[in-house]
Each structure stands twice: as C-alpha cells, then as structure tokens.
Amino acid sequence: MSGEDNLLRLVEADEPDENNYHLQNQVGFILRKAHQRHVAIFASHIADLTPPQFAALAKLYDIGETSQNQLGTLIAMDAATVKGVIDRLKARGLVELSKHEVDKRRLLVNLTPEGREAIERLIPLARTITEETLAPLTAKEAATFLRLLAKLA
C-alpha cells in the first residue's frame, strides 16, 4: 500500500486514533504538500510570475482599477505584501499607480496595456494549472473538494 493510499485510508476512517499523532495525517501538513504540488505545477506553466503576482493581475483584470489596499484585501494579502507585489509588477511595466483624485494618500492600481495583454495570455495557462492540480480527482470529487476548501478559507 502506498503512502497516499495509507493516508487516504486514515483520513476516510470513521474513528481516528486519538492516542497517536502522525504528522502526515494532519490537515496543515496535507495542505502544505498540496500547495507545494500546486506551486510546482504553476511554475512549470508560468515561470516569469509568482502566484501572488498572477493573482494581482487576474484580480485587476476582473475588477479594473482599485486601491492598493483594496486589491490586497481581495487577493488575501496584507498591505506590506501587496505593496511588494505591486512594486515588482510596476517595475516590469505590467501595472501603473496613480493618486486618488480626492484622497491623495490613496494609491490606485491599474493594468497597463502590457499587463492586460499578459494576463489575457496567461488565463488559459491558469485554467490548465487548475486542471492539472485537480487531475487526481474525479469531477465530482474536485467540486466537493473546492466547496469544502472554500469553507476553510
């Protein structure tokens, strides 16, 4: 029996063994391994952007211009992290920053034409990445997995 089969058997058991602690059976460990697999698949298709950079571009493509802080909230990043992501995307000419007309302290972020072209080219690759990440699951399992994962997020 493979390690994956053994893990599946333990996860699917009706009554977990409360007297033993096995790291490989813990939710955080399993999520980290799944995340590492997904990031490797991502990097094999989109090597020139990080997942957070892609997320920023994809969200800007979806909603248009927004404040840097709002973008961070929408893509689950704290202010310092989103600032670094935006700074790197700006340096590559993929996003532009402007000051809000009324509140000059507020930075607005928007895609440049190059950024729009890049994300339009990358979205089909992102769909492939999702398909490859979920490939070990049936369509029904994938739908259930995503629904359950969303409840944890």
Side-chain angles (χ1 to χ4, degrees):
M1 183 178 294
S2 76
E4 267 183 42
D5 292 336
N6 191 34
L7 175 61
L8 215 55
R9 186 180 54 76
L10 289 171
V11 169
E12 292 174 346
D14 289 338
E15 296 180 34
D17 184 355
E18 295 177 13
N19 297 319
N20 290 318
Y21 181 94
H22 299 286
L23 179 65
Q24 68 274 12
N25 299 336
Q26 304 308 308
V27 65
F29 183 78
I30 298 166
L31 285 171
R32 186 170 59 81
K33 284 183 65 175
H35 181 259
Q36 288 171 335
R37 180 175 169 275
H38 172 73
V39 169
I41 292 168
F42 182 96
S44 74
H45 290 279
I46 302 176
D48 60 339
L49 289 175
T50 64
Q53 290 169 343
F54 175 83
L57 293 177
K59 186 50 76 174
L60 286 170
Y61 183 74
D62 187 36
I63 66 167
E65 184 177 63
T66 190
S67 74
Q68 186 170 288
N69 284 341
Q70 179 65 17
L71 179 62
T73 299
L74 293 171
I75 59 175
M77 282 183 214
D78 61 69
T81 303
V82 78
K83 181 187 182 324
V85 167
I86 295 304
D87 287 348
R88 287 184 285 284
L89 292 172
K90 183 178 183 290
R92 294 181 56 186
L94 300 174
V95 299
E96 57 192 3
L97 298 174
S98 61
K99 301 256 185 204
H100 189 273
E101 288 183 18
V102 176
D103 184 354
K104 300 295 183 194
R105 299 169 298 161
R106 194 169 164 198
L107 277 179
L108 299 176
V109 186
N110 204 0
L111 293 173
T112 62
E114 296 82 5
R116 180 167 298 283
E117 182 181 304
I119 195 63
E120 287 173 350
R121 179 177 41 81
L122 294 171
I123 286 173
L125 295 175
R127 287 188 181 107
T128 299
I129 292 164
T130 295
E131 289 170 7
E132 284 186 31
T133 299
L134 297 174
L137 305 176
T138 66
K140 185 176 179 180
E141 287 171 336
T144 299
F145 172 72
L146 292 173
R147 183 176 43 77
L148 293 173
L149 201 54
K151 288 178 82 170
L152 295 177

